[in-house]
Amino acid sequence: MGKAISASLRLEIINARQKEKLSYRSLAERFKVNYNTVRRLILLHQQKGKLALSPNYSNCGRPINSNAEKAYRLVRLIRYFYPQWGVPYILMRIEITFPNLDLQSIRHYQRRLKKDFYRHKVAASTIPIEPVFNDLLLPHDEWQIDAKEQIKLASGTRTCYLNVTDKKTNALLKAKTFPPRMD
């Protein structure tokens, strides 16, 4: 696989060619670069000038054909409507429904969805929630029921009692005492 040549090395090669009038072979040996790379760089510099100094990354990466892009848009659409579904499950459903569609790897779609998520953050539709009132408006809106068990009285007997209070006014509404059950 080819290796990117830095802009400074490209400049050195072009300057050596212009000042010393060295051949492509001697430039390749001197800078330890492939002969065809040196030749292409110098010819490109003659055509484009300083633009030849910056690396061209347009041919890097896997080419994406139109069918693969359609498949990705389908995965992204399904993921939008069903955000709780994972990519493997989505691809399985697509393969069942569209067996002739050319799909790429699971990891490919996961990476692209993650990259698109941060690029195009779409606000999820929210269902309006009823407001929750922490403060009670009126007495008797909410009651609190509390049970106390095995309370020892001054006489030495044990008892249980249940009291009901209003949360707004803290008023005692009802208190019922009863002897504990022997289980």
Side-chain angles (χ1 to χ4, degrees), residues 148-161:
K148 309 279 193 254
E149 296 180 2
Q150 301 289 334
I151 303 296
K152 188 174 182 181
L153 300 176
S155 63
T157 61
R158 297 197 175 271
T159 187
C160 298
Y161 72 90

Side-chain angles (χ1 to χ4, degrees), residues 10 20 31 41-42 50 83-84 90-91 94 138 144 160-161 175:
R10 289 169 184 251
E20 301 174 25
F31 294 105
L41 177 65
I42 291 176
K50 296 215 180 224
Q84 69 276 13
I90 292 171
L91 291 180
I94 291 174
L138 298 171
Q144 179 177 358
C160 298
Y161 72 90

Side-chain angles (χ1 to χ4, degrees), residues 37-106:
T37 304
V38 171
R39 182 177 173 276
R40 186 173 23 91
L41 177 65
I42 291 176
L43 291 176
L44 192 64
H45 182 262
Q46 290 171 355
Q47 291 173 359
K48 294 187 176 181
K50 296 215 180 224
L51 290 176
L53 295 177
S54 62
N56 181 9
Y57 297 111
S58 63
N59 293 330
C60 295
R62 180 184 298 172
I64 298 174
N65 61 17
S66 63
N67 288 337
E69 191 60 27
K70 287 178 187 174
Y72 170 68
R73 288 195 317 240
L74 179 61
V75 169
R76 190 176 61 192
L77 179 70
I78 294 172
R79 182 63 179 251
Y80 176 77
F81 285 116
Y82 301 98
Q84 69 276 13
W85 288 4
V87 173
Y89 183 71
I90 292 171
L91 291 180
M92 181 198 64
R93 298 284 299 255
I94 291 174
E95 284 176 349
I96 291 170
T97 311
F98 305 103
N100 296 332
L101 191 61
D102 186 28
L103 295 174
Q104 295 183 351
S105 70
I106 293 170

Side-chain angles (χ1 to χ4, degrees), residues 143-148 160-166 170-178:
W143 290 350
Q144 179 177 358
I145 301 174
D146 189 21
K148 309 279 193 254
C160 298
Y161 72 90
L162 186 70
N163 60 344
V164 181
T165 56
D166 179 39
N170 273 347
L172 182 63
L173 302 176
K174 179 85 173 175
K176 174 114 176 129
T177 61
F178 50 91

